[in-house]
Amino acid sequence: MATIRILSRILSVLSTVTLLWTQSGECNNGRRSGDAVDTDFSGFSVPLEHSFEVDDVPRFHLRGALQLRGGRENSVYLSQNQLSEKDRSTLKDVAAVDGLYRIRVPRVSLQVDRQTERQSEGYLTTFVRACSLVESHLSDVITLHTDVSGYIIGISIVTIPGSCRGIEVEDEVDLEVFNSTISVVAPVTAPAPETAPYIERMEQEMEKKGKNPQEQKSFFAKYWMYIVPLVLFLMMSGAQDQSGGGAGEIQFSVEVSSQL
Amino acid sequence: MAWLVVRLAISVSLLYAASAVFEDQVGKFDWRQQFIGKVRFALFDTHSQASKKLLVATDKNVFASLNSRTGDLFWRHVDKTGPEGHIDALLMYGQDAVVVVGNGRLLRSWETTVGGLKWETVLDTGSFQAAALVGVQDLVKYVAVLKKSAISLHDLSSGSQIWVENLPDSDSVQYQTIYSGGNGVVFVLGVVPNSHIVIVEYKIEDGEIMNKKSVEAVWMSSLESSCAVVSSGILLCVDQITQSLYTLPLQSAEQTEMRQIHLQMLDLEVVSGFRPVLTSTQPNPAQPPLSEFFLQLSPDHHILLQFIDGLIAPLRDFNPSYLAAFATSGERTVAAVMSPKNDTACSINLFSADTGRRHLDTTIIYHMDPNGGKPNRLYVHAFLKKDDSVGYRVMVQTEDLTLTFLQQPGRVVWMREEALADVVTMEMVDLPFTGTQAELEGEFGKKAAIQDGLLPMVLKRLSSQFILLQAWLAHLWKLFYDARKPHSSVKNDVTIDILSRDEFNLQKMMLMVTASGKLFGIDSKSGTILWKQYLENIQPNSVFKLIVQRTTAHFPHPPQCTLLIKNKDTGLGSLYVFNPIFGKKSQISVPALPRPVIQTLLLPVIDQDYAKVLLLIDDQYKVTAFPSTKNVLQQLQDTASSIFFYLVDSSQGKLSGFRLRKDLSTELIWEVVIPTEVQEIVAVKGKRANEHVHSQGRVMGDRSVLYKYLNPNLLAVITESTDTHQERSFVGIFLIDGVTGRIVHEAVQRKARGPVHFVHSENWVVYVYWNSKFRRNEFSVLELFEGAELYNSTVFSSLDRPYAPQVLQQSYIFPAPINTLEATLTEKGITSRHLLVGLPSGNILSLPKMFLDPRRPELVSEQSREENLIPYAPEMPIREEWFINYNQTVSRVRGIYTAPSGLESTCLVVAYGLDIYQTRVFPSKQFDVLKDDYDYILISSVLFGLFFATMISKRLAEVKLLNRAWR
């Protein structure tokens, strides 16, 4: 129960993006799996294994159990053991040599009806630097990624904070209990071109124009009070020019006649 | 009113993005070269003496007419790719060329002067076997097409079908050739392998079967390759197992067995393992063929034989000889034979076909390119000279697809490099400095200074200064010399020796790797081929990867490129190391690669000679370093824990990450498995290593900054669903960190299908897919942002980025199909980006990235206007002025390569497919270059004017002051 409380606390701290992701993923998954068998809600559990060795050769052993629940909502709970005295010292040693802390889960499907055909085809592995795990006091965020059909395709682990600054973690108590946040992320549906809202918006614009006769007035109708004086002014000045032009013409004709 | 503003905003933004060329800029910095591919059929127009036409049909489904004087294209028709547009046969009579296309699907007649289509007929289904012109009474009137089970006769002037007849027993007999000697009948020859030959005789008028007989021929497997018709309808076959020639008069009814003539009787022998080839010639389809023919006994042994009165007599033995061909001009038929002269040259001689006598003074010396392949086809154009002797020109095609047109006494009239019609991959390399610049570099090079004393240093400096002065004077002299000559006569012949980097690094060396295994070094400014190198023994299904290990920046070390050639079937690879500027093979010893190479990795680690280290990972995850000096191995050991790489196994849907260990072994650190039952990985792309991003974020309307998620290790993985039903098919997009294997983003584009083209750059991915529901092409853009603040602004580490980025996505309709997609690239990444879209029409569209921005708002607000965001519109516009290649279309564009130049505003673009087109694009206009029509005189006169004005007024003021003081 304690883990769940911690879990909820960290969830609130988590960036909203992750939350959004998870939610949309869940929605999406729920929609698709509507036709799946809804009766079996018991879920199932898969082992979460970890490995941290000074010589960096992976030797996985059990860290906890993932309670997976398919169906409408892909929910997951992690129940895990405390780190033993020996593990803690190993972890610190691994961190000291900048080794890796690896975790793995078997490849499974979250869809309950597919559980029967499930076989142990292999594992999905990932890692984090052991030092960052130690320095974050075992605060890690584990994300399971599924594909459209609910298969787990990848697992990722990050620690918060994620950096290795070389801070000494003296207090052994800090390395006893994992402070884990775990979530399942399904793919989001990429948006298609939004033609319908666009057309709607265009129509609204048109309607607005139609309703508002002020808008419909032509350019001339709106600004005639400016245009008329301008034109008048131009005509006035133009008339003067014309008279000049006329004189030129006369001159020209005179020239022509003289040539003749 | 708001709508008006929106429209105004759009038009203003479009104005800003418009990037067409002006008319007077055409050809100024762009060029196009058109190619045809490997020639399968070539016919010279012998219709008139003065004709310059050469008709060719190629394996790229191109039918074209070349100018035989210059090698330029008169016209070119590019048909569909694949078997649909495959040219099966090319026949020519007079002004008409008849072409059978698409495994006998279409019969077309072309007018050869302008390349217009005269007529086209759709033929009945059935796989194509042979086609021949059919003449009656010295006039060629028909064309006969033989299919697997039917023969049809068509009128040559209209294409209308005269008759079509089914072939008897076509399910057991393989009909393969047609023969007509102009005597009113058409012979169709078929074979039942290792049993007998079937000869069916059709009447030309109505297609009635006049005669049908079968002749025993147990030794025969195929007619096409081993038989020919000579003299007045004598079928002549050769068999290498029995070492004999067989003859059979086609028309005689009584002879039911082929007459065997042992080659031994002629003192001839076919080399074991070689399939002998018979070549006969029929100058006029309305008349029977000549009685002379060539028999090829080994790859370099031909013999000219004559068939007279049932006897075969040798006329002339050509040993050694590579190629032989007949040619006819008027009534005279000649034979041209290419024989080796010495190691580097061949001589081609002309012989009269009927006697085998050599024509005097007809030798053409053909110099073989030491970096090229062997000649493998010879096409002869014979013509009658004024003194009634026969002159000729030849076209030689080599293994490396070079067409060389020669005339006596060996002058190369023109040359075409048809290997360039199939460019696989390319790179652009900076040109080296000039000798003088290099000299200066050398002076301050690493080996200088330290050992030398003061005096040698001074002397060295003086000498280099002198060289500089000399070069400058030479340059001035050249300028003066060129200026005196009329502009047109200034030749722009480019050679490697005078090539040097220009001021803005706009001229580069284009390295092109072609499918035939020929490498080219091309000057990007003019398109001149500066060097070429043919790599022999390249398997046709090889995969190439070109890596630039050392650029020209490390004088005196020559630049170095490495080509990894990998056999697609076995996966075995080999390395070819060369100097990209001169094309010379490097003397550096390359590591042997006994195991299939599955991944290559170019590290930023450099050895003491400034070559970047290339890691090759084989199928047992063993790592080979190249170069692998002690220095490199030491550096690798030191940095091993930060060297990560990924592998993709699309057959299992597996992506896995590895880390290098100190002993150069590897360890698996992450694994992502995408089940192949649902979707298949079709492409994985990282970012380009030479890409720079200038701004870390985007300034929003409210003056806050939205930081980009710039992960250099990010991989974009595209998958396609295995279910192809239009409602259920989808395209998957995964963004995976290549170091940690963390899935950063995972999206599914529903009701979508491939082929997917995509570009991954900066903080965005743009992909194009086919929407199977609405049947249209759509663009989608994904942008990743860290948010309002950066997690760690100094350095990016995949191992220390705990928060996932925000992902924004938007999609648009694109109203055209596309062939390829690429993004522009500039030196510092300040210039705005454009997407270059290769369209099947041959145009290249330069689409501003601005239009592909997921932050384009639905409704215009003050803030979005502040940010210069274009309001969202679902359809992407295509504007003609965005076509960067105006009317210079690139046929079958397959790839676009972009490279930065020394100018930030300018990006060099090369589009390749059947054609090659090179140009420059200026996505944000030429903001760092003065315009061509910049008014220097005005600005300088204003400057001088102001200068003198200040001088004069200063003087006046002084005088005035002095006067005042005196007062």
Side-chain angles (χ1 to χ4, degrees):
Chain A
M1 220 45 212
T3 43
I4 293 168
R5 207 176 302 137
I6 295 158
L7 203 147
S8 62
R9 202 175 66 207
I10 286 191
L11 258 178
S12 61
V13 178
L14 257 181
S15 73
T16 46
V17 189
T18 322
L19 258 176
L20 275 172
W21 266 23
T22 325
Q23 277 168 3
S24 58
E26 276 168 7
C27 285
N28 172 34
N29 225 335
R31 201 187 312 144
R32 195 179 20 71
S33 59
D35 50 343
V37 188
D38 281 342
T39 46
D40 191 1
F41 261 88
S42 59
F44 58 97
S45 91
V46 290
L48 173 71
E49 293 170 301
H50 61 174
S51 152
F52 42 96
E53 303 292 337
V54 181
D55 58 357
D56 228 11
V57 178
R59 277 183 287 274
F60 285 97
H61 49 270
L62 197 69
R63 166 172 161 180
L66 284 167
Q67 288 289 331
L68 293 166
R69 214 165 272 195
R72 284 203 182 279
E73 283 179 32
N74 281 330
S75 51
V76 60
Y77 302 104
L78 176 62
S79 57
Q80 51 195 349
N81 314 326
Q82 290 192 350
L83 278 184
S84 67
E85 189 79 28
K86 189 170 150 261
D87 284 348
R88 280 191 304 237
S89 67
T90 322
L91 188 60
K92 282 184 95 174
D93 291 346
V94 173
V97 297
D98 196 15
L100 302 184
Y101 172 82
R102 301 155 193 262
I103 56 167
R104 72 172 188 188
V105 288
R107 289 179 57 201
V108 290
S109 171
L110 290 184
Q111 294 309 97
V112 181
D113 51 334
R114 298 219 179 143
Q115 281 310 304
T116 46
E117 58 200 78
R118 172 165 74 95
Q119 285 146 12
S120 58
E121 297 163 80
Y123 291 91
L124 302 165
T125 52
T126 189
F127 71 97
V128 73
R129 285 163 79 187
C131 56
S132 66
L133 188 71
V134 171
E135 284 180 32
S136 66
H137 305 283
L138 303 188
S139 312
D140 56 351
V141 180
I142 295 171
T143 314
L144 296 169
H145 296 267
T146 67
D147 71 349
V148 279
S149 58
Y151 265 106
I152 297 179
I153 58 164
I155 179 170
S156 76
I157 178 169
V158 288
T159 60
I160 294 175
S163 58
C164 279
R165 288 163 209 271
I167 307 161
E168 275 294 309
V169 180
E170 292 296 339
D171 198 355
E172 289 286 315
V173 185
D174 283 341
L175 294 180
E176 228 163 59
V177 188
F178 279 102
N179 182 3
S180 301
T181 310
I182 188 151
S183 58
V184 178
V185 174
V188 296
T189 302
E194 293 162 21
T195 39
Y198 181 74
I199 291 166
E200 213 171 272
R201 218 172 67 223
M202 295 282 275
E203 274 168 2
Q204 274 175 6
E205 295 280 351
M206 295 297 278
E207 257 175 48
K208 233 193 229 170
K209 265 189 196 170
K211 270 182 195 163
N212 197 346
Q214 200 74 39
E215 292 277 311
Q216 241 184 348
K217 268 188 186 175
S218 71
F219 181 74
F220 193 75
K222 257 196 267 181
Y223 301 108
W224 64 272
M225 60 279 252
Y226 306 108
I227 293 166
V228 168
L230 194 82
V231 169
L232 276 175
F233 175 75
L234 282 174
M235 274 170 73
M236 296 285 276
S237 59
Q240 273 178 356
D241 275 2
Q242 237 174 26
S243 64
E249 254 175 45
I250 291 159
Q251 266 178 3
F252 179 69
S253 64
V254 170
E255 264 173 48
V256 169
S257 60
S258 70
Q259 268 181 355
L260 282 170
Chain B
M1 202 60 200
W3 184 236
L4 199 78
V5 170
V6 170
R7 262 195 285 185
L8 202 74
I10 294 176
S11 53
V12 165
S13 66
L14 293 185
L15 207 73
Y16 183 71
S19 60
V21 281
F22 292 103
E23 199 180 344
D24 60 342
Q25 286 181 314
V26 165
K28 209 172 164 193
F29 46 75
D30 64 326
W31 52 263
R32 177 180 67 163
Q33 287 177 4
Q34 291 186 305
F35 297 97
I36 49 174
K38 180 184 180 179
V39 172
R40 291 180 58 236
F41 306 101
L43 294 172
F44 288 94
D45 183 10
T46 50
H47 186 63
S48 73
Q49 286 296 335
S51 175
K52 296 186 280 188
K53 281 194 296 278
L54 162 61
L55 291 180
V56 286
T58 70
D59 68 337
K60 294 259 173 262
N61 304 350
V62 172
F63 177 49
S65 170
L66 297 176
N67 183 339
S68 65
R69 303 284 193 278
T70 61
D72 297 334
L73 287 171
F74 277 128
W75 48 261
R76 183 180 75 168
H77 293 288
V78 181
D79 213 323
K80 290 173 186 158
T81 49
E84 239 185 308
H86 183 258
I87 296 172
D88 302 312
L90 168 64
L91 306 165
M92 191 166 150
Y93 185 74
Q95 286 289 325
D96 300 338
V98 179
V99 174
V100 184
V101 180
N103 198 11
R105 193 172 51 91
L106 292 168
L107 184 67
R108 287 182 183 144
S109 173
W110 299 92
E111 207 283 326
T112 53
T113 37
V114 291
L117 184 66
K118 281 183 86 172
W119 49 260
E120 181 183 83
T121 315
V122 180
L123 299 175
D124 296 339
T125 51
S127 73
F128 173 83
Q129 297 296 329
L133 293 170
V134 177
V136 187
Q137 288 151 3
D138 280 0
L139 272 175
V140 179
K141 278 182 164 172
Y142 309 109
V143 55
V145 179
L146 179 69
K147 295 283 193 89
K148 200 173 183 319
S149 60
I151 174 170
S152 60
L153 198 73
H154 299 263
D155 189 80
L156 199 56
S157 55
S158 67
S160 58
Q161 184 176 294
I162 311 287
W163 49 261
V164 57
E165 290 295 327
N166 282 329
L167 297 165
D169 313 321
S170 61
D171 43 353
S172 60
V173 184
Q174 296 172 13
Y175 290 98
Q176 287 174 337
T177 48
I178 314 179
Y179 163 72
S180 162
N183 48 2
V185 285
V186 177
F187 293 95
V188 174
L189 310 178
V191 65
V192 177
N194 304 321
S195 170
H196 60 274
I197 305 175
V198 178
I199 300 165
V200 189
E201 196 176 323
Y202 287 93
K203 203 167 152 190
I204 286 178
E205 281 86 47
D206 51 6
E208 186 192 334
I209 294 181
M210 306 284 287
N211 194 359
K212 175 177 178 286
K213 62 178 176 183
S214 64
V215 180
E216 201 177 313
V218 186
W219 44 270
M220 183 177 281
S221 58
S222 168
L223 266 169
E224 243 173 330
S225 54
S226 58
C227 291
V229 179
V230 296
S231 195
S232 50
I234 311 291
L235 180 68
L236 186 74
C237 296
V238 64
D239 177 45
Q240 78 263 39
I241 296 161
T242 52
Q243 293 271 350
S244 323
L245 287 166
Y246 295 86
T247 61
L248 176 77
L250 287 173
Q251 250 163 338
S252 79
E254 62 271 17
Q255 195 174 337
T256 54
E257 199 172 74
M258 294 190 88
R259 202 156 64 81
Q260 187 176 14
I261 304 166
H262 283 284
L263 282 172
Q264 231 170 357
M265 284 163 61
L266 301 162
D267 279 338
L268 299 173
E269 195 189 355
V270 178
V271 174
S272 65
F274 181 77
R275 250 192 116 85
V277 181
L278 281 169
T279 315
S280 67
T281 178
Q282 187 176 12
N284 186 347
Q287 278 166 6
L290 299 184
S291 54
E292 291 81 23
F293 58 93
F294 272 114
L295 172 63
Q296 188 179 6
L297 296 163
S298 79
D300 53 1
H301 187 191
H302 291 76
I303 183 160
L304 183 66
L305 299 163
Q306 192 176 34
F307 182 90
I308 290 180
D309 308 329
L311 288 172
I312 289 173
L315 285 178
R316 192 166 182 132
D317 194 357
F318 301 102
N319 192 12
S321 59
Y322 290 144
L323 300 163
F326 285 111
T328 304
S329 174
E331 293 299 303
R332 293 165 68 174
T333 300
V334 288
V337 179
M338 179 190 269
S339 329
K341 191 161 180 276
N342 51 37
D343 286 347
T344 59
C346 290
S347 64
I348 304 162
N349 282 296
L350 209 58
F351 300 87
S352 81
D354 45 358
T355 59
R357 256 208 311 263
R358 196 168 87 88
H359 286 232
L360 289 173
D361 300 328
T362 55
T363 308
I364 290 180
I365 305 292
Y366 170 71
H367 290 279
M368 284 191 285
D369 185 357
N371 303 327
K374 289 194 185 71
N376 62 2
R377 293 290 282 276
L378 182 69
Y379 302 97
V380 184
H381 179 213
F383 53 89
L384 288 175
K385 288 187 191 163
K386 284 195 188 100
D387 59 351
D388 210 34
S389 63
V390 182
Y392 74 120
R393 300 187 188 93
V394 290
M395 185 170 80
V396 182
Q397 180 171 274
T398 53
E399 285 170 339
D400 55 332
L401 310 186
T402 308
L403 290 178
T404 316
F405 196 79
L406 300 133
Q407 70 177 34
Q408 281 173 298
R411 193 172 78 82
V412 175
V413 184
W414 52 262
M415 216 167 180
R416 292 181 69 91
E417 290 291 350
E418 290 306 333
L420 285 171
D422 203 350
V423 174
V424 184
T425 178
M426 69 167 291
E427 281 290 340
M428 267 186 170
V429 180
D430 294 349
L431 287 173
F433 292 114
T434 52
T436 50
Q437 283 168 313
E439 180 71 29
L440 264 187
E441 286 270 313
E443 188 193 348
F444 304 111
K446 57 166 191 174
K447 278 178 197 153
I450 309 146
Q451 306 103 328
D452 299 354
L454 192 66
L455 194 68
M457 280 287 281
V458 171
L459 285 177
K460 211 172 188 181
R461 160 51 69 95
L462 281 177
S463 73
S464 64
Q465 292 285 9
F466 179 72
I467 290 167
L468 272 182
L469 183 74
Q470 219 175 355
W472 185 65
L473 285 176
H475 177 70
L476 277 187
W477 171 247
K478 192 172 179 293
L479 272 185
F480 174 69
Y481 196 72
D482 283 351
R484 284 197 316 170
K485 280 196 285 187
H487 186 71
S488 56
S489 73
V490 179
K491 274 195 286 180
N492 48 350
D493 45 72
V494 189
T495 57
I496 291 178
D497 308 319
I498 62 155
L499 260 193
S500 66
R501 197 181 300 185
D502 59 338
E503 232 175 321
F504 298 124
N505 201 3
L506 290 166
Q507 189 177 9
K508 293 197 179 198
M509 178 66 89
M510 289 162 54
L511 299 180
M512 295 195 133
V513 182
T514 62
S516 61
K518 195 166 187 184
L519 309 181
F520 289 91
I522 300 175
D523 169 35
S524 77
K525 198 174 183 183
S526 61
T528 320
I529 295 169
L530 296 173
W531 59 263
K532 50 203 171 189
Q533 179 70 49
Y534 178 59
L535 308 177
E536 274 168 76
N537 307 323
I538 298 284
Q539 301 298 316
N541 58 353
S542 294
V543 189
F544 299 92
K545 186 163 184 181
L546 186 61
I547 301 136
V548 182
Q549 279 196 290
R550 183 166 55 216
T551 60
T552 33
H554 304 288
F555 187 83
H557 298 288
Q560 182 182 324
C561 277
T562 302
L563 181 70
L564 174 70
I565 307 149
K566 200 172 119 179
N567 190 318
K568 212 172 193 171
D569 296 332
T570 62
L572 288 173
S574 60
L575 292 176
Y576 178 79
V577 186
F578 62 101
N579 179 333
I581 304 299
F582 299 100
K584 292 205 182 68
K585 191 176 177 187
S586 173
Q587 298 303 316
I588 295 171
S589 63
V590 293
L593 303 169
R595 301 217 50 93
V597 176
I598 52 173
Q599 176 73 292
T600 56
L601 198 63
L602 189 68
L603 297 181
V605 176
I606 51 171
D607 71 348
Q608 71 270 35
D609 291 339
Y610 304 99
K612 281 186 185 163
V613 175
L614 181 70
L615 290 190
L616 302 149
I617 294 121
D618 67 19
D619 62 344
Q620 291 179 336
Y621 312 120
K622 290 259 164 51
V623 174
T624 314
F626 171 69
S628 57
T629 55
K630 222 175 207 174
N631 179 314
V632 169
L633 295 177
Q634 182 61 41
Q635 285 191 60
L636 281 180
Q637 266 187 22
D638 297 344
T639 52
S641 62
S642 59
I643 296 173
F644 298 85
F645 62 90
Y646 68 94
L647 299 176
V648 184
D649 183 355
S650 56
S651 64
Q652 290 176 33
K654 193 163 31 174
L655 289 138
S656 39
F658 291 82
R659 183 164 82 154
L660 200 65
R661 284 211 189 119
K662 288 208 188 311
D663 57 346
L664 290 194
S665 62
T666 57
E667 57 176 332
L668 181 77
I669 49 172
W670 59 265
E671 235 176 332
V672 167
V673 185
I674 301 168
T676 47
E677 301 93 69
V678 187
Q679 52 196 332
E680 251 179 302
I681 298 172
V682 290
V684 178
K685 245 187 220 175
K687 289 177 190 173
R688 286 179 67 163
N690 57 346
E691 151 184 305
H692 295 273
V693 181
H694 184 257
S695 81
Q696 289 258 317
R698 285 183 55 166
V699 182
M700 316 275 284
D702 59 0
R703 301 280 174 236
S704 65
V705 177
L706 187 62
Y707 285 100
K708 294 173 184 171
Y709 179 77
L710 297 168
N711 183 348
N713 308 318
L714 200 65
L715 304 174
V717 180
I718 300 284
T719 62
E720 275 178 45
S721 63
T722 45
D723 190 348
T724 51
H725 185 268
Q726 59 154 4
E727 285 291 320
R728 293 189 297 269
S729 68
F730 64 85
V731 167
I733 307 99
F734 299 84
L735 299 179
I736 298 177
D737 189 298
V739 170
T740 61
R742 182 178 179 195
I743 299 176
V744 171
H745 184 66
E746 192 183 353
V748 170
Q749 193 82 49
R750 303 225 175 243
K751 294 177 185 115
R753 200 147 50 80
V756 180
H757 302 276
F758 67 112
V759 177
H760 182 197
S761 178
E762 272 186 58
N763 64 329
W764 49 265
V765 178
V766 171
Y767 60 91
V768 188
Y769 57 92
W770 171 257
N771 186 323
S772 51
K773 190 185 175 197
F774 293 110
R775 294 164 188 281
R776 66 193 180 196
N777 282 86
E778 288 178 5
F779 257 111
S780 196
V781 57
L782 276 162
E783 278 195 26
L784 289 89
F785 292 100
E786 287 217 2
E789 50 192 281
L790 276 178
Y791 177 79
N792 179 351
S793 57
T794 48
V795 69
F796 187 97
S797 167
S798 286
L799 296 170
D800 181 16
R801 280 283 136 145
Y803 302 110
Q806 297 175 21
V807 181
L808 302 176
Q809 188 168 13
Q810 216 169 49
S811 300
Y812 317 88
I813 302 161
F814 190 69
I818 82 157
N819 269 9
T820 183
L821 195 66
E822 189 53 82
T824 59
L825 194 68
T826 52
E827 178 94 351
K828 299 265 182 276
I830 300 167
T831 308
S832 60
R833 308 290 294 269
H834 276 204
L835 284 174
L836 300 170
V837 189
L839 305 176
S841 64
N843 288 114
I844 294 157
L845 181 76
S846 179
L847 188 68
K849 171 71 181 50
M850 211 174 170
F851 280 90
L852 290 156
D853 184 347
R855 303 192 61 251
R856 281 174 70 175
E858 289 272 317
L859 291 167
V860 189
S861 68
E862 198 62 47
Q863 291 200 352
S864 70
R865 214 172 299 147
E866 184 79 25
E867 237 186 293
N868 264 337
L869 291 176
I870 308 162
Y872 180 78
E875 186 164 337
M876 192 68 65
I878 293 185
R879 277 158 206 282
E880 239 101 288
E881 65 265 26
W882 288 352
F883 290 150
I884 57 169
N885 55 345
Y886 45 107
N887 63 355
Q888 305 281 298
T889 50
V890 185
S891 271
R892 294 191 194 142
V893 55
R894 213 174 37 245
I896 297 174
Y897 179 86
T898 52
S901 73
L903 282 174
E904 171 55 33
S905 65
T906 310
C907 168
L908 304 176
V909 176
V910 181
Y912 54 87
L914 188 62
D915 303 339
I916 295 175
Y917 179 75
Q918 190 276 145
T919 191
R920 297 172 195 165
V921 289
F922 319 101
S924 300
K925 300 224 180 144
Q926 286 182 285
F927 60 81
D928 50 3
V929 179
L930 290 181
K931 280 204 186 80
D932 287 346
D933 52 357
Y934 185 76
D935 203 340
Y936 291 95
I937 296 164
L938 183 76
I939 200 108
S940 47
S941 57
V942 166
L943 254 175
F944 278 114
L946 282 173
F947 179 71
F948 285 118
T950 42
M951 294 287 279
I952 292 164
S953 55
K954 197 178 168 190
R955 176 82 195 132
L956 286 176
E958 272 173 13
V959 170
K960 204 176 178 182
L961 269 176
L962 192 68
N963 285 346
R964 196 183 287 165
W966 275 107
R967 209 177 284 158

